[in-house]
Amino acid sequence: MMARVCGVLVLCLLMVACGYQWQGFDNPTVDSVLGDGSSTLKIDSVEQVSMYPWVPYYLRSVIRDEVNLRKLARWVDSGYADYTMSVRMPSFLIRSYVSDAEDVTLLNAATVQLEIVIAKGTTGEVVWRSGVISYSENYENMQESVAIREVLIQAVNRGLERMQQKGF
């Protein structure tokens, strides 16, 4: 019994030494360029290079949902916001590689590059850039649109994780 308690204590000390903090469930501390989560945020623009007209709307929806889930900011759709976000997609590629005898695609390869830019809502001064975020994945037995959605979700998650890193 004592060995288990000592083991748990050593594990906790190691986690604290590595920078891990318990954030709880009800009121997590948010460490991002947006502050403590009480600021307002809206998307200013989404530039994309894909041929799919639904992609900008989907990106907006994914970003809004993730910002709210992570409690990074209070989302506003229009009007004044403390911060504005611009999303730029410099590269996008989806390819179908393998088809069966009935010409049903069995493998889609999707690649996307995104850049997220945060600016102050009052002055337009850029306060943070994600840099280019790349994500690529192969999807088996999946429709092309589903593969595109999955790769966009992963790229957005990577961008918001960068936003939450210390020393941004």
Side-chain angles (χ1 to χ4, degrees), residues 80-107:
Y80 173 78
D82 298 318
Y83 294 96
T84 60
M85 178 186 288
S86 299
V87 180
R88 190 176 66 88
M89 181 191 296
S91 177
F92 174 83
L93 179 65
I94 180 108
R95 290 195 176 169
S96 301
Y97 284 106
V98 180
S99 297
D100 64 9
E102 297 171 359
D103 202 30
V104 175
T105 300
L106 300 176
L107 180 66

Side-chain angles (χ1 to χ4, degrees), residues 81-141:
D82 298 318
Y83 294 96
T84 60
M85 178 186 288
S86 299
V87 180
R88 190 176 66 88
M89 181 191 296
S91 177
F92 174 83
L93 179 65
I94 180 108
R95 290 195 176 169
S96 301
Y97 284 106
V98 180
S99 297
D100 64 9
E102 297 171 359
D103 202 30
V104 175
T105 300
L106 300 176
L107 180 66
N108 285 304
T111 303
V112 67
Q113 290 183 335
L114 292 179
E115 181 179 31
I116 299 171
V117 178
I118 303 291
K120 289 184 180 177
T122 53
T123 63
E125 173 191 354
V126 174
V127 295
W128 182 79
R129 285 182 182 275
S130 67
V132 176
I133 302 154
S134 298
Y135 190 80
S136 184
E137 189 71 50
N138 293 326
Y139 297 97
E140 295 181 32
N141 298 324

Side-chain angles (χ1 to χ4, degrees), residues 14-151:
L14 286 173
M15 291 174 68
V16 169
C18 292
Y20 182 83
Q21 304 180 2
W22 172 256
Q23 294 184 356
F25 296 110
D26 296 330
N27 192 15
T29 57
V30 178
D31 190 13
S32 79
V33 297
L34 302 174
D36 64 359
S38 63
S39 301
T40 56
L41 174 70
K42 71 177 181 178
I43 289 187
D44 190 36
S45 65
V46 176
E47 300 172 21
Q48 60 117 7
V49 295
S50 79
M51 299 293 288
Y52 301 94
W54 56 267
V55 166
Y57 304 106
Y58 187 73
L59 273 172
R60 287 175 186 267
S61 174
V62 169
I63 291 169
R64 181 192 63 235
D65 292 348
E66 277 299 314
V67 165
N68 287 332
L69 180 68
R70 296 169 187 246
K71 298 181 182 180
L72 295 175
R74 291 181 297 121
W75 192 265
V76 293
D77 290 319
S78 60
Y80 173 78
D82 298 318
Y83 294 96
T84 60
M85 178 186 288
S86 299
V87 180
R88 190 176 66 88
M89 181 191 296
S91 177
F92 174 83
L93 179 65
I94 180 108
R95 290 195 176 169
S96 301
Y97 284 106
V98 180
S99 297
D100 64 9
E102 297 171 359
D103 202 30
V104 175
T105 300
L106 300 176
L107 180 66
N108 285 304
T111 303
V112 67
Q113 290 183 335
L114 292 179
E115 181 179 31
I116 299 171
V117 178
I118 303 291
K120 289 184 180 177
T122 53
T123 63
E125 173 191 354
V126 174
V127 295
W128 182 79
R129 285 182 182 275
S130 67
V132 176
I133 302 154
S134 298
Y135 190 80
S136 184
E137 189 71 50
N138 293 326
Y139 297 97
E140 295 181 32
N141 298 324
M142 192 177 282
Q143 293 179 348
E144 184 178 84
S145 62
V146 177
I148 293 168
R149 285 181 175 93
E150 288 297 318
V151 78

